[in-house]
Amino acid sequence: MSYPPVPAGPGGRRPLHLRTTLILTTLALLTAICIAIGVFSHLAMSTYLTGQLDEALKPAATRAGFPGGRPPGDDARPFRGIGPDDIDPGDAAGQRPGTLNAVFADGEAQNSGLVQDDGTTAPLAQADLDTLAGLDPAAGPEEVTLSTGEYRVDAAELPAELTTDGTVLVTGLSTTERDSTLVSLDITVAGLSLAGLVLTGLAGTAIIRRSLRPLEELSAVATSVSRLPLSSGEVAIPVRVPPAAAQPGTEVGTVGLALNEMIDHVTSALRERHASEMKVRQFVADASHELRTPLTSIRGYTELVLMSESVSPSGRSALERVDSESRRMSSLVEDLLLLARLDEGQRGEVADVDLTELVIETTSDARVAAPGYSWGLDLPEDPVEIRAVGTEIRQILINLLSNAYKHTPPGTSVSTALTVAPGPDGGTAILTVTDSGPGIDPAFLDTIFTRFSRGDSARTATEGSTGLGLAIVHALVQANGGDIRVTSEPGRTQFRVQLPLASALTQGAS
């Protein structure tokens, strides 16, 4: 199931889908928990191992040179009395590898020893002794960095009865084992956390995808409905949310059930609207048909009186007004009947039509009907043929040209152009009617092809408008497989009609 396109949010960024958001949020929380566990485990283990090192420093100091004596800082055991010569840091008996000992008297190193892996001892480097000489016996255990690595050291002042005042014994244990243990712990925790995150991500994706599948079905149904042509005609909405995703037991199911009810309601409303439209159209068609006979009679009797009877000047003016209005009413009735026939699919015979010839003829007629306008033609050298109903194409041209001079002031330039646009389907004939009038109100452009839509306030009208001319043009263009667009600004209004060439229709049929 694919998601419909998501509109970009503020700053051009697209919002994340719910599934992605849930997965990323879950992984972020788990990552934070794993990091917290890793940090806590590292600190706890480091504290524990460091405490063990500190506990091991006292017996290490005892083994450094006090056999039978009292170790530094241990006042509980009785001192058995040994001489200064018994203090020998170079004696590695009972010392583990990595243990260091150094004796300082008044800040000067007396002797030192670092237990090697083979049990022997080696003196400390002078730089290391300088570092150890600055330790404060009252500070307690601390860590120092020597040339041979990291050490946990403790300085203790020796008893006065054993040595002279100011003699300090420094004992240290290597932190290599502690540090390697912490590194192993960190690697283990990181590996387990990473594996847990991967497994959680995979399992969470599967679970979330399965949980959101009904929501995706709702989205697909809503998208399908949004793409249906619901603006006019008989409309049926065939899509519904599946029963499995329209159960009231869950939040998504409740939404699915409500969506199905809404679609049913919209379908019912569209059917009622279509039925109402059909009744109105049938009434208009019937009324127009019935009006043709009385209007013809009115025109006939009016013409008869004007030709055969002697009437006063005011009476003649009134009769001429009656004749003019009856003719305008007859034109309106004919337009309504034409739209009614198009709605019912009643059309003339489709044949090859020379569009170039029709443009020349209708423009010549418009020039005679409106001599106060500047008329222009721009035609290709070769004739342009389309396959359509000739009377309908002629009606399109007549309505567009009459619309140009009826709704613009005298002196306006009206140009008709015809071009051919090649295409993979055989090409298209493009007909444009452009005038230099004041333009059309932008608010009227969206409804300009709607029946009985009038926007005379935007353009100077020299004659009454029924609001059906452009609606007829739109219906005739669509009936002949074409498309019409309009663009307008002050000083330039253009109607652009596209109609498939006869060769394109022939190729499509083959």
Side-chain angles (χ1 to χ4, degrees):
M1 183 71 66
S2 60
Y3 286 103
V6 179
R13 295 176 296 178
R14 294 186 178 274
L16 295 177
H17 289 296
L18 178 60
R19 181 176 65 194
T20 305
T21 302
L22 290 175
I23 293 174
L24 292 179
T25 302
T26 302
L27 291 179
L29 292 175
L30 288 176
T31 301
I33 293 173
C34 291
I35 292 175
I37 292 175
V39 171
F40 177 79
S41 300
H42 180 93
L43 293 177
M45 183 60 71
S46 177
T47 302
Y48 173 74
L49 295 178
T50 301
Q52 285 190 326
L53 284 176
D54 293 344
E55 290 296 326
L57 283 174
K58 289 183 179 180
T62 302
R63 291 190 295 270
F66 295 92
R70 184 170 64 221
D74 189 354
D75 298 330
R77 294 172 54 188
F79 179 60
R80 294 186 297 173
I82 59 174
D85 295 337
D86 292 328
I87 304 175
D88 183 12
D91 185 1
Q95 303 287 331
R96 67 183 184 183
T99 304
L100 66 82
N101 297 284
V103 177
F104 296 89
D106 295 328
E108 295 293 332
Q110 302 300 312
N111 48 27
S112 63
L114 175 62
V115 181
Q116 307 296 313
D117 292 337
D118 58 0
T120 61
T121 60
L124 296 175
Q126 184 60 44
D128 297 339
L129 293 175
D130 292 341
T131 301
L132 297 175
L135 296 177
D136 183 6
E142 58 183 292
E143 293 189 15
V144 296
T145 302
L146 303 179
S147 60
T148 54
E150 295 285 338
Y151 288 85
R152 187 77 177 176
V153 298
D154 189 18
E157 188 172 353
L158 297 178
E161 61 269 24
L162 179 62
T163 60
T164 59
D165 294 340
T167 301
V168 176
L169 173 64
V170 176
T171 303
L173 296 175
S174 175
T175 62
T176 301
E177 293 184 1
R178 183 202 66 180
D179 295 340
S180 63
T181 300
L182 291 177
V183 170
S184 299
L185 176 65
D186 292 342
I187 292 175
T188 301
V189 172
L192 292 176
S193 299
L194 181 60
L197 288 174
V198 171
L199 292 177
T200 302
L202 295 176
T205 300
I207 294 173
I208 293 174
R209 182 187 295 273
R210 183 175 181 180
S211 300
L212 295 181
R213 188 173 300 163
L215 191 59
E216 294 179 2
E217 294 176 347
L218 265 64
S219 175
V221 170
T223 302
S224 299
V225 173
S226 67
R227 293 174 179 173
L228 292 174
L230 306 178
S231 58
S232 62
E234 186 174 3
V235 178
I237 304 180
V239 293
R240 294 291 187 279
V241 179
Q247 300 295 330
T250 62
E251 292 82 357
V252 175
T254 303
V255 174
L257 187 62
L259 182 58
N260 278 345
E261 293 177 352
M262 183 186 69
I263 293 175
D264 293 338
H265 179 70
V266 171
T267 301
S268 177
L270 291 175
R271 288 174 179 170
E272 292 181 3
R273 183 208 65 186
H274 178 66
S276 176
E277 286 181 355
M278 293 305 297
K279 290 179 180 179
V280 171
R281 290 181 179 180
Q282 187 62 43
F283 169 76
V284 171
D286 294 342
S288 301
H289 183 75
E290 294 298 328
L291 285 173
R292 295 179 73 181
T293 300
L295 285 173
T296 302
S297 300
I298 292 173
R299 290 175 55 189
Y301 282 113
T302 303
E303 292 174 357
L304 178 61
V305 171
L306 288 174
M307 289 188 298
S308 61
E309 299 294 334
S310 177
V311 294
S312 64
S314 59
R316 177 171 291 275
S317 176
L319 288 174
E320 289 176 350
R321 183 63 177 170
V322 170
D323 181 65
S324 174
E325 291 300 315
S326 63
R327 290 179 184 275
R328 194 168 71 89
M329 183 66 99
S330 296
S331 176
L332 172 60
V333 169
E334 293 299 329
D335 288 344
L336 290 173
L337 286 175
L338 176 57
L339 288 173
R341 286 195 297 268
L342 289 175
D343 291 337
E344 296 176 358
Q346 299 178 9
R347 302 176 59 205
E349 187 70 22
V350 176
D352 290 342
V353 177
D354 189 344
L355 186 57
T356 305
E357 182 180 355
L358 281 180
V359 170
I360 295 174
E361 292 177 357
T362 53
T363 303
S364 299
D365 295 340
R367 183 180 289 111
V368 173
Y373 292 77
S374 177
W375 298 94
L377 276 177
D378 184 7
L379 303 176
E381 296 181 0
D382 298 327
V384 178
E385 286 193 353
I386 61 174
R387 189 159 183 83
V389 179
T391 56
E392 295 178 353
I393 301 302
R394 182 182 295 274
Q395 186 70 45
I396 291 172
L397 290 167
I398 291 174
N399 284 16
L400 288 178
L401 293 174
S402 63
N403 181 77
Y405 68 77
K406 287 180 179 179
H407 298 280
T408 57
T412 301
S413 297
V414 182
S415 175
T416 305
L418 180 61
T419 57
V420 174
D425 55 353
T428 304
I430 300 177
L431 172 69
T432 59
V433 176
T434 308
D435 67 67
S436 59
I440 303 173
D441 185 356
F444 178 59
L445 288 176
D446 292 337
T447 59
I448 195 169
F449 297 115
T450 304
R451 299 179 185 185
F452 300 105
S453 178
R454 301 179 63 178
D456 291 343
S457 60
R459 290 148 68 97
T460 303
T462 59
E463 186 175 331
S465 172
T466 63
L468 291 177
L470 292 179
I472 292 174
V473 170
H474 184 263
L476 291 176
V477 169
Q478 286 193 328
N480 287 277
D483 181 61
I484 183 170
R485 304 287 177 85
V486 59
T487 57
S488 182
E489 59 184 23
R492 186 179 186 276
T493 297
Q494 183 180 85
F495 288 87
R496 187 174 187 270
V497 178
Q498 291 182 248
L499 295 167
L501 296 174
S503 58
L505 296 176
T506 302
Q507 291 180 9
S510 60

